[in-house]
Amino acid sequence: MTDRLIVLISGRGSNLQAIQAACVSGQIPAQIAGVISNRPEAAGLAIARRAGLPTQVVDHRSFASREDFEAALDEAIATWPSDWIVLAGFMRAFTPGFVDRHRGRLVNIHPSLLPAFTGLHTHSRALRAGVCWHGATVHFVTAELDGGPIIAQAAVPVDPEDDEARLADKVLAAEHRLYPLALAWLCRGALELEGDRVHWRQSPPPQERSLLAMIPEDGTCTVQR
Ligand code: GAR
């Protein structure tokens, strides 16, 4: 039986699209059971519908408390049998209670090389800090915001001519390769969350390890600010 993913989104849905394409091509041995958005206007909902995926909206603004919102989210999640809950641009922080209920099967992608730049506006903060490398991280979700054990990272060089938009594009392109790769490992049972560490039952194949870095051959660092 292939694994079943529930994908949680808040906006554009480009990672959802990349994950769906990877499920269809067989790169991820899984299917998307359903897509849930906390925003009715999320563009990603149209992407899901066009792909024939079932969708639900659980609008956080309709609930008096975070706990009430998460109870409704739990109900929506329980609609479909699932193995993994995949956060793809889902912009709500969870309570420790929610994280505990789904511990070990809740994964997220964050647009920075964690533990650097947790939270919002990661690209402008990376530029301001003058880092040479930026990127994206797939990690298990724990109660600490953007602080869970790291599964995979993709690095991109920061070029002197990068502005926020250009850097965001480069990182997003890396995300679209990284997330399917990490989900494929998860669904093949290559790793699991053990305590607060990732335990690798089997290493990813070497050709995928090299994809992991995503550092171009000519990835030079000549940043001067
Ligand atoms: C992605 O860059 C993702 O890493 C980020 O939101 C964007 C969603 O884009 N997630 C976070 O910032 C979570 N803290 P998408 O809707 O096109 O996939």
Side-chain angles (χ1 to χ4, degrees):
M1 269 247 303
T2 55
D3 279 6
R4 297 170 66 96
L5 317 178
I6 292 180
V7 182
L8 269 52
I9 62 169
S10 297
R12 182 176 47 188
S14 70
N15 276 289
L16 163 68
Q17 195 162 26
I19 293 164
Q20 167 65 1
C23 288
V24 169
S25 76
Q27 184 196 0
I28 306 174
Q31 64 187 86
I32 297 180
V35 175
I36 301 172
S37 173
N38 67 309
R39 291 190 170 274
E41 68 277 15
L45 284 169
I47 292 175
R49 290 187 196 115
R50 274 202 302 277
L53 300 171
T55 61
Q56 296 185 62
V57 173
V58 183
D59 189 339
H60 62 279
R61 289 164 296 198
S62 319
F63 299 91
S65 70
R66 198 168 281 236
E67 284 75 10
D68 290 351
F69 165 62
E70 290 177 351
L73 197 56
D74 276 336
E75 236 172 76
I77 288 169
T79 314
W80 305 297
S82 64
D83 300 283
W84 305 102
I85 301 169
V86 176
L87 309 183
F90 187 72
M91 303 306 280
R92 305 295 300 170
F94 293 125
T95 63
F98 183 91
V99 172
D100 275 351
R101 289 198 288 283
H102 300 286
R103 195 177 164 79
R105 65 186 208 104
L106 195 55
V107 291
N108 182 42
I109 189 159
H110 181 76
S112 78
L113 292 173
L114 291 172
F117 311 121
T118 58
L120 298 174
H121 311 300
T122 56
H123 307 311
S124 59
R125 287 160 60 210
L127 285 172
R128 265 203 310 279
V131 296
C132 298
W133 297 95
H134 188 41
T137 303
V138 176
H139 64 96
F140 282 109
V141 176
T142 61
E144 192 190 337
L145 183 72
D146 301 326
I150 291 172
I151 298 169
Q153 290 189 307
V156 300
V158 181
D159 299 317
E161 62 272 22
D162 281 348
D163 57 15
E164 190 179 343
R166 212 180 109 111
L167 187 57
D169 283 350
K170 290 200 303 198
V171 172
L172 194 65
E175 290 186 35
H176 295 162
R177 293 173 65 191
L178 182 72
Y179 218 176
L181 209 55
L183 291 172
W185 298 336
L186 273 176
C187 295
R188 282 194 222 122
L191 67 136
E192 63 186 335
L193 179 66
E194 204 176 73
D196 56 4
R197 294 190 67 93
V198 173
H199 171 245
W200 289 88
R201 292 202 202 93
Q202 66 199 64
S203 309
Q207 70 273 21
E208 295 199 351
R209 265 186 190 282
S210 60
L211 249 188
L212 189 60
M214 300 212 200
I215 298 168
E217 301 265 295
D218 64 347
T220 47
C221 178
T222 53
V223 182
Q224 280 181 346
R225 292 204 170 79

